[in-house]
Amino acid sequence: MAMGSQFSLSLELTKLVPFGSLFNTAGHGLVRLLREIQASGSDFITEQDLAEVFGRNRLEPRFASTFRTAVKHSVIHQVSHIAELVLEGGAGPTVRRSFSEEGYFAMVVQLSLLIYTHELSSLTGAMAVAFERRTKDSTEYVAPPRYDALKGTLRAVREQTCGFMWELTISAVEKKVYPSIAWTDGSLYKIRTIPQVILQALLDAFTAIQHLPEHTRLQISSATGLPTIVVWAHHILGLSVKVHVNDESHVFGDELVTVYVDGDYNGSPKVALLNETDDPYFQLLREREDPVLAPVCRHPIRDYGTRLYRFRHEDRETERRLVYLIVATCMTIASFPDESRRVGGVPDEASRFLSVQRVLSVSKLLFSSNEDVIDGIALGSTLPCVEKVPEARLLSAEFQDNDDDLWHLFHGYKKLAMELMHIIFVLCRAQGFEDDISLYIDVLPESQYIPTLANPDLHRILIEVPSPELAFSSLSSLLLGHAHRPGLEGYSVVSAWGWSLYLSSVACQDPSDSTAGFAFVRGVPARKGERKHYIIDGAWSLRKEALSHDTAKYSCFDISHRPGDQCVLSSWTRPKDRRYYIGVKDDAFEIANVLNYDDPAVDAKAKGGGSSVSCGFYSMQQVSWRTHHAPPCQHPATPGQSSLVLPENVFAFRGFDRPQLHTFQPNAVLAGLVAGDSSARWILTAMMVHTWRASLAKRGAAPQSELVVCLRSRGCCFECAVRYAQSCNRGAPVGLVL
């Protein structure tokens, strides 16, 4: 009997198949479960609505077991000193609940596939339309899931199941069906998207086929969506599928074929569920107002550079030569003498992230298909000459005259080459991505984060070594993809797809612990079970504007020891415990650290409350980025024990306010006595970075002079810290935070 609509089929299935109650939500734990699901960003009612549809399908047992094993673990990373603020990864409340409810687990598995192959917002819109249409013929209207609740639920499933490697299964299907096609221009990802009309039908068609296999078969005609449909029908649900593509047929499964897919069909997508006499239970055609589902263009970092090339080009020999050019140039820049200072603006702490070995390691990961090419470079190939461009944060790379073919190659692939060199440099700063293949980043067809640099002539490349701010923005863009927000100032943690990228200031107490690098961790920001996707600054007192306007509340600059005086490594302040405040916004935690200190010589109330400063993690990291870190040494460095007779032009001082810098010799070192008090060290470092430099600029300092701020590492003695500061002089007094 033919039925008039998809909703009629849904009602008929309810009569034919005694599902009963799919879920047991009664009991004392219901309220707790509701709170946990809501805190994770999902929605309890929406999960129920989705499970009532997807939960009717039976999973293929072996696949279900594999999926369960991959996603069952939960992990909590305590990366911050704030005990209640963690990065939570793996199974959350939605996935944990599914382990005890079969229909719920079936829903999680199927949604995990769909959200892997379709962009979140477009899939949310398509699912909302599909559920609306399923109910339009109902005599009793049932409200479909709300868009925002549906989007939150889909994102929660994506984050909590990111440990399953869908790419392996999907790629295996694609290699079988499309063995000889070179995918460029993103067509590989577009071919995975299921048209709206097909998605609409599959909400009920797979259920009908599973429960009435001898009386139903599904006929799909569509040029896109084939890999996702095959994985859904065959691998997840155990159905046998026959596909016809490029005049060839492929069968997945060895039992009764019930799903037929015509991938050569060039018309508008259509689908029909037929009975044993080929009469339709229902037939759906594409409608003009159907939403268009967008693909997800992501790839693991392993071989990401190769994918980015093949995303746009086909020639494999050119690929190998371009890899040679890119990696050879980056290696030469990494070996550039004293690179961090000569390039300008990047403190010495950054230099260890840009070593030849680090470039080699990252390049072999990005171009793993061309590792033999990189090994050849490492064994001693001819490398380009690199020099500093005067008065600029640029380097110039140049090959010899007999390598003209390489330069013609570069100019033919200039944009891609610059993008890949930039990605190598920014990944050199990052940690945590080398060993986990489940971290995927966006394959951007038109990069949004690469500066455009004009080349002076055919034989030179102008290269900008990315600043820490630019590197963090670029990595955030690669992680977030479609969700990228332009301008991430104030963001210290960004999260997408179950992974987070965080600044080192999030994990440190003392400014000397904050490095120029970043770290990837599988997990999303969480506090007491509530999950968000960003951590942002909730206070800005360490920023230049705040410090410049509030100098009256800081203790005055006061020289306590002059050249020739015996000075002990100590602090004029008394350390106090740090506090913090946590606010909650739509999709972010807002953090304000409160740096407390006691000034024994000054009444804090009389100074306008100068005993504390509020700041966020990003503003703290900015301060560290602009500081040179004196490395640890082999001498005793304990405050109160390490001492020094101050050499010529070295002064020790107390207070936070800026000094009259023009009264000191250009080679002077001004050492702040704040050893052992991490809060005071943060405040003094910020004052030097922002207000001291501004004061020097206003006084009309020499064009080539620069006030350098040095920070003593906690394992560095007084004498070595002073020597390091003296070596950093650039024609202006050096600020040293002891």
Side-chain angles (χ1 to χ4, degrees):
M1 178 182 68
M3 290 166 229
S5 70
Q6 184 183 5
F7 185 76
S8 300
L9 173 65
S10 180
L11 289 177
E12 195 68 19
L13 288 172
T14 302
K15 297 176 184 177
L16 293 174
V17 184
F19 293 111
S21 176
L22 285 173
F23 314 105
N24 176 24
T25 57
H28 298 293
L30 177 58
V31 174
R32 179 180 177 183
L33 177 62
L34 284 166
R35 287 176 175 169
E36 289 179 349
I37 289 175
Q38 183 178 9
S40 71
S42 187
D43 181 78
F44 182 84
I45 300 300
T46 301
E47 289 186 3
Q48 292 290 109
D49 292 340
L50 292 170
E52 290 291 347
V53 174
F54 290 95
R56 300 172 301 175
N57 298 334
R58 297 188 298 260
L59 301 182
E60 198 281 322
R62 287 175 298 179
F63 188 89
S65 176
T66 301
F67 187 90
R68 185 188 300 266
T69 300
V71 304
K72 68 180 180 180
H73 297 291
S74 300
V75 61
I76 295 178
H77 301 277
Q78 184 69 60
V79 298
S80 173
H81 66 280
I82 302 176
E84 60 190 279
L85 189 65
V86 298
L87 297 179
E88 232 176 54
T94 298
V95 169
R96 288 196 297 266
R97 177 190 180 189
S98 72
F99 293 152
S100 60
E101 300 187 34
E102 183 178 349
Y104 213 87
F105 184 65
M107 179 266 291
V108 167
V109 175
Q110 293 168 85
L111 289 182
S112 179
L113 169 67
L114 293 177
I115 195 58
Y116 179 81
T117 54
H118 300 86
E119 189 273 324
L120 176 61
S121 295
S122 68
L123 178 62
T124 303
M127 293 279 286
V129 170
F131 273 79
E132 177 71 36
R133 290 176 178 174
R134 287 183 80 252
T135 62
K136 67 180 181 180
D137 294 332
S138 173
T139 55
E140 182 179 350
Y141 178 76
V142 178
R146 295 178 294 108
Y147 177 89
D148 57 342
L150 183 56
K151 186 174 183 179
T153 299
L154 292 175
R155 182 156 54 184
V157 171
R158 185 176 72 181
E159 291 171 354
Q160 296 176 35
T161 61
C162 68
F164 186 79
M165 299 296 294
W166 284 111
E167 187 66 28
L168 301 178
T169 306
I170 296 172
S171 295
V173 171
E174 291 168 344
K175 289 178 180 178
K176 181 176 180 179
V177 176
Y178 310 107
S180 59
I181 296 181
W183 301 103
T184 59
D185 299 326
S187 52
L188 169 65
Y189 302 103
K190 295 174 184 175
I191 203 70
R192 299 176 177 181
T193 58
I194 301 176
Q196 165 71 32
V197 62
I198 309 298
L199 178 63
Q200 179 81 57
L202 297 185
L203 295 182
D204 290 302
F206 284 153
T207 305
I209 291 172
Q210 279 197 323
H211 293 280
L212 301 168
E214 297 179 356
H215 303 283
T216 55
R217 69 182 183 90
L218 186 64
Q219 180 67 50
I220 299 172
S221 300
S222 174
T224 65
L226 190 152
T228 305
I229 293 171
V230 170
V231 173
W232 189 356
H234 174 63
H235 291 85
I236 296 179
L237 302 182
L239 302 174
S240 293
V241 182
K242 184 175 183 179
V243 300
H244 187 75
V245 178
N246 297 328
D247 298 325
E248 294 185 2
S249 294
H250 306 272
V251 176
F252 294 84
D254 52 7
E255 298 180 359
L256 175 67
V257 175
T258 52
V259 180
Y260 297 82
V261 184
D262 182 5
D264 287 336
Y265 181 73
N266 293 322
S268 295
K270 60 182 181 179
V271 58
L273 183 67
L274 309 175
N275 62 17
E276 62 269 28
T277 61
D278 286 343
D279 292 324
Y281 283 111
F282 70 79
Q283 181 172 341
L284 298 180
L285 304 175
R286 180 180 179 181
E287 299 182 23
R288 181 177 300 177
E289 62 271 20
D290 280 356
V292 177
L293 282 91
V296 167
C297 303
R298 298 181 78 84
H299 193 271
I301 292 181
R302 181 172 298 279
D303 219 23
Y304 175 85
T306 306
R307 167 65 73 194
L308 204 60
Y309 172 86
R310 295 177 184 178
F311 194 85
R312 310 172 198 183
H313 308 287
E314 298 182 22
D315 185 67
R316 296 295 185 263
E317 181 58 32
T318 300
E319 174 187 312
R320 293 172 63 82
R321 294 172 65 229
L322 193 63
V323 168
Y324 173 91
L325 174 63
I326 290 168
V327 179
T329 304
C330 290
M331 286 176 58
T332 307
I333 292 172
S335 63
F336 193 64
D338 205 11
E339 178 274 335
S340 61
R341 295 190 193 173
R342 295 285 294 279
V343 174
V346 182
D348 288 335
E349 181 65 17
S351 61
R352 70 185 181 89
F353 294 99
L354 202 57
S355 66
V356 172
Q357 284 303 118
R358 184 61 176 161
V359 167
L360 274 173
S361 175
V362 170
S363 298
K364 287 183 178 182
L365 193 65
L366 283 175
F367 303 104
S368 58
S369 295
N370 294 281
E371 189 170 341
D372 59 323
V373 176
I374 300 172
D375 286 336
I377 301 171
L379 292 175
S381 301
T382 301
L383 301 180
C385 299
V386 176
E387 63 180 12
K388 176 75 171 60
V389 177
E391 300 181 9
R393 275 185 45 77
L394 303 175
L395 294 174
S396 167
E398 184 172 358
F399 277 94
Q400 304 302 316
D401 292 339
N402 58 355
D403 289 320
D404 280 353
D405 59 329
L406 285 175
W407 290 104
H408 286 289
L409 171 67
F410 170 78
H411 282 276
Y413 296 85
K414 174 182 174 182
K415 182 175 176 58
L416 177 61
M418 296 294 285
E419 290 174 3
L420 289 170
M421 282 190 280
H422 180 84
I423 291 171
I424 289 174
F425 289 144
V426 300
L427 282 176
C428 282
R429 290 184 179 275
Q431 300 172 344
F433 63 87
E434 294 93 337
D435 300 325
D436 196 325
I437 61 174
S438 68
L439 173 59
Y440 282 64
I441 56 178
D442 210 52
V443 181
L444 300 177
E446 295 294 335
S447 294
Q448 306 166 6
Y449 50 86
I450 308 299
T452 301
L453 302 174
N455 289 325
D457 56 57
L458 180 63
H459 290 269
R460 299 178 69 199
I461 307 174
L462 289 184
I463 302 165
E464 179 178 10
V465 178
S467 66
E469 291 94 335
L470 179 58
F472 183 67
S473 178
S474 297
L475 288 177
S476 298
S477 175
L478 290 169
L479 178 64
L480 297 174
H482 285 276
H484 177 62
R485 301 181 176 187
L488 287 171
E489 184 176 10
Y491 287 72
S492 55
V493 179
V494 296
S495 177
W497 290 76
W499 281 82
S500 289
L501 173 69
Y502 70 92
L503 299 175
S504 58
S505 59
V506 174
C508 71
Q509 283 271 31
D510 189 82
S512 63
D513 300 330
S514 178
T515 68
F518 329 111
F520 285 102
V521 169
R522 195 201 293 192
V524 298
R527 175 181 178 247
K528 299 179 180 178
E530 183 175 14
R531 294 188 177 193
K532 300 293 181 182
H533 296 95
Y534 304 94
I535 293 179
I536 62 177
D537 284 6
W540 301 86
S541 298
L542 281 193
R543 295 185 66 189
K544 178 179 178 180
E545 296 83 354
L547 291 172
S548 298
H549 288 90
D550 294 337
T551 54
K553 76 177 187 178
Y554 298 108
S555 300
C556 295
F557 178 88
D558 177 36
I559 293 179
S560 59
H561 299 78
R562 297 180 178 274
D565 293 344
Q566 181 83 20
C567 186
V568 177
L569 188 66
S570 59
S571 177
W572 60 274
T573 64
R574 287 195 294 261
K576 293 180 65 177
D577 292 337
R578 281 163 62 173
R579 306 194 314 274
Y580 59 87
Y581 297 102
I582 302 179
V584 180
K585 290 195 171 182
D586 289 342
D587 203 21
F589 293 115
E590 192 176 60
I591 306 296
N593 291 285
V594 181
L595 308 177
N596 299 301
Y597 68 93
D598 269 343
D599 182 349
V602 178
D603 181 2
K605 294 182 179 180
K607 297 294 291 181
S611 61
S612 67
V613 174
S614 298
C615 59
F617 291 126
Y618 185 86
S619 59
M620 296 165 74
Q621 187 70 60
Q622 276 191 315
V623 168
S624 178
W625 280 335
R626 289 158 175 76
T627 305
H628 295 255
H629 292 229
C633 66
Q634 302 299 317
H635 311 122
T638 305
Q641 298 180 7
S642 179
S643 63
L644 175 69
V645 176
L646 299 184
E648 184 179 0
N649 279 328
V650 176
F651 302 84
F653 69 90
R654 299 170 179 171
F656 292 133
D657 199 3
R658 55 178 174 245
Q660 299 296 320
L661 292 172
H662 65 281
T663 63
F664 294 91
Q665 293 294 323
N667 62 345
V669 173
L670 307 180
L673 294 173
V674 287
D677 188 342
S678 61
S679 293
R681 279 161 59 84
W682 274 115
I683 297 170
L684 181 57
T685 305
M687 292 294 293
M688 288 182 175
V689 166
H690 293 310
T691 66
W692 286 33
R693 284 178 175 169
S695 174
L696 186 67
K698 288 180 180 180
R699 283 283 177 179
Q704 300 301 322
S705 66
E706 178 185 348
L707 187 146
V708 175
V709 178
C710 294
L711 178 66
R712 182 189 67 88
S713 298
R714 286 186 287 185
C716 181
C717 73
F718 199 158
E719 182 176 359
C720 289
V722 169
R723 288 180 178 176
Y724 178 83
Q726 290 173 324
S727 71
C728 293
N729 185 278
R730 296 184 186 174
V734 175
L736 172 61
V737 180
L738 292 174

